[in-house]
Structure formats: structure tokens, C-alpha cells
Amino acid sequence: MRSLQVILEGDTMGNPVIHQGTDDKVDVSFDEMSHRPHSYSYRIKHCEADWKLSKGINEIDFLKGFQENKIESYYQSINTTFEYTHYYFQIPNDNVELLLSGNYIAEIFDSDNPDSIVATACFSVSEDLATAEGSVSSKTEYGVNNQYQQLGFSIDGSQLQVTDPSEQIKLVVFQNGRKDNMVTGLKPTYTQGSKLIYENNNRLIFEGGTEFPRIDFSHIHYFSGQISHITFAHPYYHVEVNPGEDISHHDYQFDNDVDGRYKVHGQDVWSEKEIDYSIVHFSFKASDPWLDGSLYVAGYFNDNYLDKNNKMTYNFDTHQYELVLVLKNGGYNYQYLFVPSGQTKATTSRAMGNHWQTENEYDIYIYYRPFGSQYDRLVGVTTLKSGGSGN
């Protein structure tokens, strides 16, 4: 299974968040890499703020319709070097109505083997009762106009009955969708009436990073970004990405990136059925391997996971780290992340460098659990942006 996408209908660059009281839908799709008939189904589950399954509520509480449904919509690729069958479905639909706010997962499984989960699609439903206002500053306890960015924000809780924010409010803060450096467990610095103020908190200090490198191989001849060339070696196309290198000491350079996001598309095709896959070769120059950790290629295209699938391997013959990925044609942002040995949090300082001017996207998910409630309600999602001083 490849190219799992969970997208808010009509907004390919946004977060998969359904807003209650609207006609919002999320589009879920993926490819099975063959033309062989296959039967897939999905089941809907509700989750808490930490994405663990909600234990205090039952299916009848959060779902109207059927928990398990067969995926009926699919098509086979045409005129592609990689054969695949594209499966897709929308939520909500005629069989599924979501009754509560919060986090949801759609477990996709083999219809003949319900225990065989092939993918998990994550999305959320927001009540839009609370908003965050704030800014991103270069002034931190690590220095001014240095390598870091600090968030400061307030939450308007006037539509909520908050008597103990430390217990009733949960926040999750993401930088460019990354999981490794997300922030949870925040407590307000102080309150001001119905406002919760979060400022001068060193847990809200992030490395600035750099603007994301980008590649676009939606056309085999008119490619762009950090691509040196595209070749055909039977039976597949190969995309050679310009070697990355240590730019941690370079000056900041503005680039109009999309903060790690990507879009599958084709410029020379008649329909989506003809969008092909390519073998993409990443490399990063290093005279010797780094013995104190591992290097990864990450972005929204792999949900920013730092695992064996996107871990680079050092090649002693070429003196560089290398990684080969099979990606569906389109435009991609990516970055090189270094994870020190024994840690799970990555750093951009080793390979990409950090600049306070960098434009980054910070998503603040606001969860609320009134006393006596049995689940985490999602009451708001706010996105703050930093940098962009190159305009």
C-alpha cells in the first residue's frame, strides 16, 4: 500500500479537520500496487487528544450508521510503469455520520481478514468554540534573532465552562506537522478572565530550521526544484535529487515553500488514472558517517515519521548518505532531520541549520473535557505562521 492521503475536500494543503455544522468531508485514498482484485474495508474509531482509543464512550455515542464499511470506489491505473489500483472514500457519507468532535481514525483492513490492518487514516472534527491568537517571536531565552522561534498565544475560552484549565484544557502544538517535536501537557502561564495565556514558556521554543527544499516531477521533461535529471531505466523512471549538504553555517535564504506539504499531480496526463510513480533517489554529502545518530528524509508525504522506511544509509564508496523512495508523481517538500542516538526528537541543526527568519507553520489543537465528560472534545484548531521576512 502506498500514497495514503487524508485531505479535507477542496483543500489539499490544509489539515484534515472537519468543522461541525458544515458540509465538510475528508477524502481518504491509497494505492495498492497491482491490478489484482482486492477487497478493502474500513472501521471508524474515536480517539482522545493523544490518539489513544477513547474508552469512556461507545460506538453508538460517536457514530450514526455502520462502524465497518466496504470501500466500493476504486480504479486501475492506465499507461503507467507502476501498476496500481487506487481506492478512495469520503467521510461522512451515507453510511457514516460522526456525532462527536475529537480525533478519529479509519482503520483500513483486508475485508477477508479484519485483523489485517493495512493503513490508518487520521482526521479530526472540531466544534470551533475556541480560538488561539498569538505570534511567533525570535526573542527567546536562547538569544534574540538567533536560531530559534518562540510561540506565545492566548486562548479565548468564553464559550467554554472552564473552571480548572490545567485539568480541562489539553493542547497539542505541531511545527510543520512533525510528531517528534510536538508539544503536549502545556499549562497556562496565567488567566485573564476567560482568556488562557501561554507565554514565556521554554517548551514553546522551536528550532527555526530552514525553508524546505522542493522537487516537482509531475512532468518527466519539465521538472523543477532540486532535481538534477530524470532518466528511464526499464521498466521505471528514476528521479535524481541534487545531493544535500551541510548548510548549517549558510545565511538564511527565503524560498516560497509549503512548509513540508506535497501534492500528487501530473502535467502530461489525461486523467488521474495516468499519474505514474517514480523511483526517487535522495543523497546527502558527508565525508564520514555520523556515529552519534541517524539521518532521515521527512515531510508530510511520509507523515513525518522517522523510521526505517525513510532512514538514510551511508555509502562508503560515494561518501554520502542515500535513500531510495518510490513516490507518486507530483510536487514535494522535504527536509533532512538528524536524530541523536538514544533520542526520538530530531534536530535540523546538523544538516539544514536554523534561522529565526524561517517561515514555519504552527498548528494548535485545543481539546476540552468538562468535568464529568467521558472524552476529549476538539473545540478549536488555529494555525500561526512565522517568518516570511524574505518577502
Side-chain angles (χ1 to χ4, degrees), residues 4-6 28-29 51 89 91 104-108 119-123:
L4 173 68
Q5 295 188 83
V6 188
V28 181
S29 64
W51 290 97
F89 59 95
I91 297 174
Y104 286 85
I105 60 173
E107 288 183 343
I108 301 167
T120 300
C122 300
F123 60 96

Side-chain angles (χ1 to χ4, degrees), residues 41 124 133 148 184 201 229-230 250 260 303:
S41 299
S124 302
E133 293 184 353
Y148 301 92
T184 61
N201 189 325
H229 57 272
I230 297 178
H250 291 196
D303 206 24

Side-chain angles (χ1 to χ4, degrees), residues 143-195:
V144 179
N145 290 1
N146 202 330
Q147 303 176 19
Y148 301 92
Q149 298 175 342
Q150 178 154 13
L151 272 68
F153 55 86
S154 64
I155 293 176
D156 180 3
S158 58
Q159 297 188 68
L160 309 174
Q161 298 295 322
V162 180
T163 56
D164 187 349
S166 296
E167 293 295 327
Q168 294 174 290
I169 299 293
K170 297 178 183 178
L171 301 183
V172 182
V173 181
F174 298 97
Q175 181 196 49
N176 302 324
R178 286 172 55 184
K179 311 296 190 301
D180 62 288
N181 66 344
M182 70 179 183
V183 177
T184 61
L186 288 170
K187 307 298 181 184
T189 310
Y190 62 94
T191 61
Q192 191 176 72
S194 61
K195 282 192 173 183

Side-chain angles (χ1 to χ4, degrees), residues 41-178:
S41 299
Y42 65 91
R43 63 174 70 96
I44 302 294
K45 295 185 176 181
H46 190 278
C47 297
E48 303 293 8
D50 59 4
W51 290 97
K52 294 180 180 178
L53 295 180
S54 301
K55 296 182 179 179
I57 56 177
N58 298 313
E59 174 191 331
I60 193 173
D61 298 316
F62 64 82
L63 184 68
K64 181 179 179 181
F66 301 100
Q67 185 185 32
E68 296 189 1
N69 296 274
K70 189 173 181 179
I71 301 175
E72 303 283 359
S73 299
Y74 61 90
Y75 60 75
Q76 294 180 337
S77 62
I78 300 174
N79 300 324
T80 56
T81 60
F82 279 87
E83 289 187 347
Y84 64 86
T85 304
H86 184 78
Y87 295 83
Y88 57 99
F89 59 95
Q90 280 191 330
I91 297 174
N93 55 52
D94 291 341
N95 296 322
V96 174
E97 181 181 346
L98 306 175
L99 302 178
L100 302 179
S101 70
N103 294 337
Y104 286 85
I105 60 173
E107 288 183 343
I108 301 167
F109 59 93
D110 186 325
S111 300
D112 298 324
N113 184 5
D115 293 329
S116 177
I117 299 173
V118 298
T120 300
C122 300
F123 60 96
S124 302
V125 176
S126 173
E127 298 179 42
D128 295 345
L129 296 177
T131 58
E133 293 184 353
S135 62
V136 185
S137 172
S138 62
K139 183 179 179 181
T140 76
E141 65 180 46
Y142 301 146
V144 179
N145 290 1
N146 202 330
Q147 303 176 19
Y148 301 92
Q149 298 175 342
Q150 178 154 13
L151 272 68
F153 55 86
S154 64
I155 293 176
D156 180 3
S158 58
Q159 297 188 68
L160 309 174
Q161 298 295 322
V162 180
T163 56
D164 187 349
S166 296
E167 293 295 327
Q168 294 174 290
I169 299 293
K170 297 178 183 178
L171 301 183
V172 182
V173 181
F174 298 97
Q175 181 196 49
N176 302 324
R178 286 172 55 184

Side-chain angles (χ1 to χ4, degrees), residues 273-294:
K273 298 178 182 180
E274 293 185 289
I275 299 177
D276 207 347
Y277 278 79
S278 297
I279 300 176
V280 183
H281 300 260
F282 292 93
S283 61
F284 188 92
K285 296 178 181 178
S287 55
D288 295 294
W290 296 332
L291 302 180
D292 57 338
S294 301

